[in-house]
Amino acid sequence: MRPAVLIIGLCIALLGCASIQNAPVNLPGSSEGLAGQIRLNFEGKNQESEDVIGLAFSGGGTRAAAFSFGVLSEMERTPMRGASGSMLDRLDFISGVSGGSVTAAYYGLRKRAALADFRERFLLRNAEEELETNLTLATLGKALAGGVNDARGFPRWLDANLFNGATFADFREAGRPRVWINASDIYNRTPFVFGPTVFNAMCSDLSKYPLANAVAASAAVPVVFAPVVMETFSRQCRDPLPSWVNKALKDRNAPPMVSSVAKAMRRYHDGEVPYIKLLDGGLVDNFGLSGFTIARLTADTPYGPLSPEQAVRLRRGLFLVVDAKNGVAGNWVNTIEGPNGVELMMAAADTAIDASVATSYTAFDSTMGDWQSALIKWRCGLSAADRVKFGASPGWNCRDLKFYIGRLGFDQLDPAQARALETIPTRFHLPAEQVDSVIAAGRDALRSSPVVRSFVRGV
């Protein structure tokens, strides 16, 4: 009993000394000028373009950031048949989670210039230099209080080394590709997509929110980081909830994903949730595909979230998941004992992430297949007048539409290469040789993908 009392007393003392500073930095206001809903909005896209490319970057620390960077680099080298420019010129949107959100945000902000310096400015740097990454007696109090690291250190490092004070307003000015950064609302257990839809529900101004803070929220691994806190301003709301939210709230048969997100947004808007607590986006969706799926499931037309003109012109769509997730790890399966407390917490988080991976990808693949069928049916049902109205060219084939859905992962590479890659830890500090091996793997994965080759031939 005496050792137990001493341990309990020590824990209480540590909790008393711990102080987690997670003050919200989002501001009240409206995001109405940015967009009205979660959507695939191709601002600045060539009106004659017949194809669309979307990427989803998974979580996994610097390993994921380097893998997605390798994919972008290879896209720049990949020409499109019968068209000028490369695949990168056709990139329309990126969704990023955790480590993948770093690459997504930086590329979305700086475009091709990001390819020239991202390796030196982030991938080769020690992004953990201002963080506590070990659970010791000195950090146990903070861990028990909510997280070893609060919400200041990592955003401060990201801002100083990458984003230089950039906010979501800079994304709008930068144009395509549109970028979605994904975190997890751990109270509502739903994806939290940093976008106008959610911020309007919070009555908050997305344009003034720092990119560094959004990326830090997306990468906030439980225990290592305390939750990032967002404040809702229900008394200052001027914008109503989107019509699809009210429709989903009334529909008992609404898809579960849509229903859960709609309920969360109502709670934000009505003040039922004054403070939203965010952790790593991988806890509910490690591929960042929920935003795409919701965009389609909440559309009230066969072509939504595209415009009818875009739906008529579209011939080919490529949607790639860039997957740098963990393989199985840990040696505690070889003994009766274990895992210990820290291993158990990390294993629980990894289990949640891997479970979400299968669910989100399956839902996305099914949704995109259904959308392709709905689009073809709608296009073929257009009258001659509507075809002219929406810009169909002479000889237009209403059935000439195909979506290519694929995943780029370590397991698709040479087995020896894949085993070596999976041993690389998912930290935010890696040796240069490991960084370069993962970048090369991203290039190899895109180059060898049969889905990508089919898409390029079909354009």
Side-chain angles (χ1 to χ4, degrees):
M1 288 296 292
R2 186 173 299 170
V5 171
L6 290 174
I7 292 171
I8 292 171
L10 176 61
C11 291
I12 292 172
L14 289 170
L15 278 170
C17 296
S19 177
I20 301 296
Q21 301 296 324
N22 273 12
V25 300
N26 64 303
L27 299 173
S30 173
S31 303
E32 185 177 10
L34 296 180
Q37 58 179 333
I38 298 175
R39 60 179 302 170
L40 310 183
N41 189 329
F42 308 138
E43 293 181 33
K45 186 174 178 64
N46 184 342
Q47 292 300 303
E48 300 304 317
S49 181
E50 297 179 336
D51 53 80
V52 58
I53 298 176
L55 301 175
F57 294 159
S58 81
T62 295
R63 187 174 83 172
F67 193 53
S68 54
F69 176 74
V71 169
L72 289 173
S73 301
E74 188 63 26
M75 287 178 69
E76 186 183 35
R77 303 177 181 182
T78 305
M80 300 292 285
R81 294 182 58 187
S84 59
S86 68
M87 283 186 70
L88 205 58
D89 295 305
R90 309 298 184 91
L91 183 58
D92 291 288
F93 50 89
I94 308 173
S95 181
V97 176
S98 194
S101 73
V102 184
T103 312
Y106 193 64
Y107 182 81
L109 186 65
R110 301 202 65 223
K111 307 299 184 289
R112 263 188 165 81
L115 300 182
D117 65 2
F118 185 65
R119 177 178 177 273
E120 286 68 31
R121 292 190 66 176
F122 180 76
L123 297 177
L124 297 183
R125 297 289 305 279
N126 178 10
E128 299 178 4
E129 59 188 352
E130 295 184 10
L131 302 176
E132 291 281 359
T133 57
N134 296 314
L135 190 60
T136 65
L137 280 177
T139 59
L140 180 60
K142 288 185 177 181
L144 294 173
V148 174
N149 296 279
D150 60 26
R152 296 174 298 178
F154 197 37
R156 183 170 57 232
W157 190 95
L158 289 169
D159 209 40
N161 292 281
L162 279 182
F163 298 117
N164 303 313
T167 68
F168 278 84
D170 297 297
F171 264 173
R172 179 172 174 82
E173 293 173 3
R176 291 193 306 122
R178 178 168 293 259
V179 174
W180 291 339
I181 298 172
N182 303 266
S184 299
D185 175 343
I186 58 173
Y187 177 79
N188 290 292
R189 303 165 195 170
T190 58
F192 184 98
V193 181
F194 281 86
T197 304
V198 174
F199 270 67
N200 275 337
M202 296 161 51
C203 316
S204 185
D205 187 350
L206 173 65
S207 66
K208 297 178 181 177
Y209 196 76
L211 291 181
N213 291 69
V215 171
S218 181
V221 178
V223 181
V224 177
F225 294 96
V228 172
V229 181
M230 308 287 289
E231 186 172 359
T232 61
F233 304 96
S234 59
R235 295 182 180 180
Q236 303 182 41
C237 263
R238 299 193 307 272
D239 303 316
L241 288 169
S243 58
W244 69 262
V245 172
N246 294 317
K247 181 179 178 181
L249 292 172
K250 295 175 183 178
D251 183 4
R252 295 181 180 179
N253 297 312
M257 182 187 299
V258 173
S259 177
S260 296
V261 172
K263 289 175 182 176
M265 297 222 309
R266 178 189 57 76
R267 291 171 183 143
Y268 303 161
H269 193 266
D270 295 351
E272 184 180 336
V273 177
Y275 297 102
I276 304 166
K277 310 297 175 70
L278 304 178
L279 282 175
D280 192 311
L283 294 175
V284 295
D285 179 11
N286 199 42
F287 287 162
L289 294 174
S290 298
F292 299 142
T293 305
I294 293 169
R296 175 55 201 152
L297 293 178
T298 59
D300 54 6
T301 64
Y303 51 80
L306 299 176
S307 70
E309 292 80 9
Q310 290 169 332
V312 164
R313 287 194 303 273
L314 186 62
R315 292 184 60 245
R316 298 292 179 265
L318 174 65
F319 303 89
L320 290 176
V321 171
V322 182
D323 179 11
K325 69 181 178 68
N326 281 335
V328 294
N331 60 8
W332 37 266
V333 294
N334 298 316
T335 63
I336 295 176
E337 297 78 16
N340 61 37
V342 175
E343 291 172 334
L344 186 61
M345 288 185 287
M346 299 311 296
D350 288 342
T351 299
I353 289 171
D354 279 359
S356 77
V357 162
T359 301
S360 64
Y361 186 80
T362 301
F364 176 72
D365 189 37
S366 175
T367 298
M368 297 304 288
D370 291 343
W371 188 26
Q372 176 178 303
S373 299
L375 274 171
I376 291 174
K377 182 178 180 181
W378 173 79
R379 284 160 42 128
C380 292
L382 290 174
S383 66
D386 281 339
R387 293 186 183 193
V388 173
K389 176 183 176 182
F390 297 141
S393 58
W396 175 71
N397 181 359
C398 65
R399 297 187 176 279
D400 185 18
L401 172 68
K402 183 172 177 57
F403 289 154
Y404 298 81
I405 313 298
R407 185 182 67 87
L408 307 178
F410 295 162
D411 57 316
Q412 297 166 346
L413 302 171
D414 175 79
Q417 183 184 14
R419 285 193 297 271
L421 291 166
E422 287 183 351
T423 64
I424 296 174
T426 56
R427 301 188 60 148
F428 279 113
H429 180 212
L430 296 177
E433 59 272 17
Q434 289 187 341
V435 168
D436 289 335
S437 69
V438 179
I439 293 173
R443 292 173 176 155
D444 292 343
L446 185 89
R447 190 166 52 247
S448 62
S449 168
V451 173
V452 173
R453 288 200 299 266
S454 296
F455 169 76
V456 171
R457 286 196 301 268
V459 170

